[in-house]
Amino acid sequence: MFNGLARSFMIKRGENPGNGDRREAAEAMAKNAKKNDMILRSSGVVNIDGSDNFASVFSKRGRKGVNQDCAIVWEEFGCQADMLFCGIFDGHGPWGHFVAKKVRESMVSSLLCNWQETLARASLDEDINLESDQKHWRFHIWKHSYLKTCASVDQELEHYRKIDSFLSGTTALTIVRQGDLIFVANVGDSRAVLATTSDDGTLVPVQLTVDFKPNLPREYLTILSEEAERIIQCNGRVFCLHDEPGVHRVWLPDEESPGLAMSRAFGDYCVKDCGLISVPEVTQRHITSGDLFVVLATDGVWDVISNQEAVQIVSSTPDKAKAAKHLVESAARAWRKKRKGIAMDDISAICLFFHSTPLPLHEAYVNEQSRNMKLKK
């Protein structure tokens, strides 16, 4: 079911290696992958011969100081030929750039360890038949692994004395591709948007995640009740500042601090008792031939670019290697136009293309625009 498992950890019946051993093995895999250009932690491209994946990454510093965004792409994640991991992290607060990078590194090794352990335990459970419903069990294993990982990463961060994360934190949006399935885990207000083709060949954006803001749109009433009620029940407060109408933030019960614009994040321990959580929303999607790519981006993109605009910008880029840069630069121009007088946020994006298409993306975009023009006539 999972090609290469034995190569990864060699977990045998009756053997239970400690967390330290698994962590060391995961870190060794990461170092080896870096030597073979399978891991990218900066702007650039990941394109391995024989792989269906093609990843374009770009990040641009805003006008608020040091760039607190960071990203990672790992092809053949955990020595699995059919797996890829990618994630984007948006730090905030005085130590936000350190927190984002710490969570990025901790999450990769921790997730790999927890996935291997969960898979090994499931394979040894006589009551579980992994072959009976592979899609169901894959999702169950990844969801359990993500929940355990995020809890341990947040706990580890709290006790990591080299970084002061009391008033600093980060979001984390990650995707694991395993064969024709993708597993999405989101903590915070970064967003993943899939570009798929409709029956008539037009590009359609599909939002895969929820922006975990203190206030959510009406279409997310169920989640809104969970998010808002949790904060209020924990004596946290949610309101907008007079000079930021429409921007709801999380505040301490008796202080005008910290003013977080999200309801889920790693770190920010000053408000962890006031309803802020680091529990991820985990979902899955089966990739079809009509699904072209997925965009992972920080809120610096989504504050000024719509989902439809994003997939059109990416699909209209002739060179896929420059897709993320094209999207980020488009967002930067939109900031200058739409948000005059407001300091531009850091802007980062990953464009993950699933498979080579018979028709180049930019030609498909031109054809779509041509059809739209004919319809208007």
Side-chain angles (χ1 to χ4, degrees):
M1 179 178 175
F2 296 96
N3 181 37
L5 177 61
R7 273 195 297 141
S8 301
F9 280 96
M10 299 296 291
I11 298 177
K12 300 178 181 179
R13 182 181 297 271
E15 296 182 3
N16 185 22
N19 290 332
D21 294 336
R22 287 193 296 269
R23 191 68 170 261
E24 288 179 7
E27 291 172 354
M29 287 183 203
K31 290 180 180 179
N32 185 60
K34 184 178 180 181
K35 289 181 182 178
N36 296 321
D37 296 325
M38 291 184 178
I39 287 186
L40 179 68
R41 292 184 174 91
S42 60
S43 296
V45 170
V46 176
N47 182 24
I48 305 300
D49 290 340
S51 172
D52 289 335
N53 303 307
F54 186 103
S56 171
V57 183
F58 194 79
S59 182
K60 185 181 183 70
R61 181 174 64 87
R63 300 287 184 177
K64 300 178 180 180
V66 63
N67 189 347
Q68 295 187 309
D69 290 355
C70 66
I72 185 171
V73 178
W74 182 350
E75 179 71 276
E76 294 189 10
F77 181 49
C79 295
Q80 306 297 300
D82 67 337
M83 277 173 42
L84 174 142
F85 174 90
C86 62
I88 203 157
F89 307 82
D90 183 357
H92 53 263
W95 292 69
H97 49 303
F98 293 113
V99 175
K101 290 179 180 178
K102 174 62 177 174
V103 170
R104 176 185 65 180
E105 300 310 312
S106 297
M107 177 169 285
V108 172
S109 56
S110 180
L111 179 63
L112 184 55
C113 290
N114 286 321
W115 173 72
Q116 295 285 4
E117 181 183 9
T118 305
L119 177 59
R121 291 183 184 280
S123 67
L124 298 177
D125 191 332
E126 297 179 354
D127 296 329
I128 296 178
N129 183 359
L130 294 177
E131 297 296 331
S132 64
D133 188 351
Q134 289 189 15
K135 186 176 180 180
H136 167 77
W137 284 113
R138 283 191 182 188
F139 177 68
H140 174 79
I141 288 169
W142 278 113
K143 183 174 182 179
H144 181 272
S145 300
Y146 261 117
L147 291 172
K148 187 175 180 180
T149 293
C150 290
S152 64
V153 167
D154 200 45
Q155 185 178 31
E156 178 184 332
L157 177 65
E158 184 177 14
H159 296 95
Y160 189 67
R161 299 307 177 192
K162 293 183 180 180
I163 297 177
D164 184 356
S165 49
F166 187 71
L167 288 168
S168 299
T170 186
T171 67
L173 169 59
T174 65
I175 283 182
V176 171
R177 179 181 182 181
Q178 185 175 38
D180 57 0
L181 291 173
I182 57 172
F183 304 92
V184 186
N186 185 38
V187 177
D189 57 358
S190 293
R191 185 187 304 172
V193 175
L194 176 81
T196 189
T197 50
S198 61
D199 293 337
D200 62 359
T202 58
L203 278 177
V204 178
V206 178
Q207 187 168 325
L208 301 179
T209 56
V210 172
D211 302 343
F212 284 108
K213 304 283 191 181
N215 69 309
L216 292 172
R218 289 183 179 273
E219 57 263 34
Y220 299 120
L221 281 176
T222 301
I223 298 177
L224 173 61
S225 62
E226 294 177 1
E227 299 296 297
E229 286 183 12
R230 182 184 68 245
I231 295 170
I232 294 171
Q233 287 177 359
C234 294
N235 295 320
R237 296 181 297 158
V238 177
F239 63 85
C240 305
L241 295 175
H242 294 300
D243 59 348
E244 288 185 318
V247 181
H248 292 75
R249 298 181 180 275
V250 180
W251 307 88
L252 287 167
D254 304 312
E255 297 180 37
E256 303 301 297
S257 176
L260 284 181
M262 66 213 67
S263 57
R264 301 191 186 196
F266 291 94
D268 298 303
Y269 298 105
C270 62
V271 284
K272 274 289 159 68
D273 291 333
C274 297
L276 183 78
I277 60 174
S278 58
V279 179
E281 178 197 40
V282 184
T283 59
Q284 72 172 345
R285 181 180 174 94
H286 178 262
I287 302 171
T288 69
S289 59
D291 297 334
L292 302 182
F293 58 85
V294 63
V295 175
L296 287 73
T298 58
D299 62 341
V301 170
W302 308 115
D303 283 346
V304 292
I305 297 287
S306 69
N307 294 349
Q308 185 66 52
E309 289 170 335
V311 299
Q312 288 177 343
I313 290 168
V314 172
S315 65
S316 66
T317 307
D319 184 357
K320 289 193 294 186
K322 298 179 181 178
K325 182 177 181 180
H326 189 193
L327 176 59
V328 169
E329 295 292 359
S330 297
R333 288 193 294 271
W335 267 90
R336 291 191 289 268
K337 181 179 179 180
K338 297 179 181 180
R339 300 210 164 188
K340 294 180 180 179
I342 299 177
M344 186 179 77
D345 197 2
D346 301 325
I347 308 173
S348 303
I350 299 173
C351 300
L352 175 62
F353 298 89
F354 295 132
H355 39 65
S356 57
T357 55
L359 187 65
L361 287 174
H362 67 286
E363 291 185 25
Y365 172 77
V366 170
N367 288 348
E368 179 186 352
Q369 296 300 99
S370 176
R371 282 193 295 270
N372 291 340
M373 291 180 66
K374 290 180 180 179
L375 288 174
K376 288 180 180 178
K377 291 180 179 180

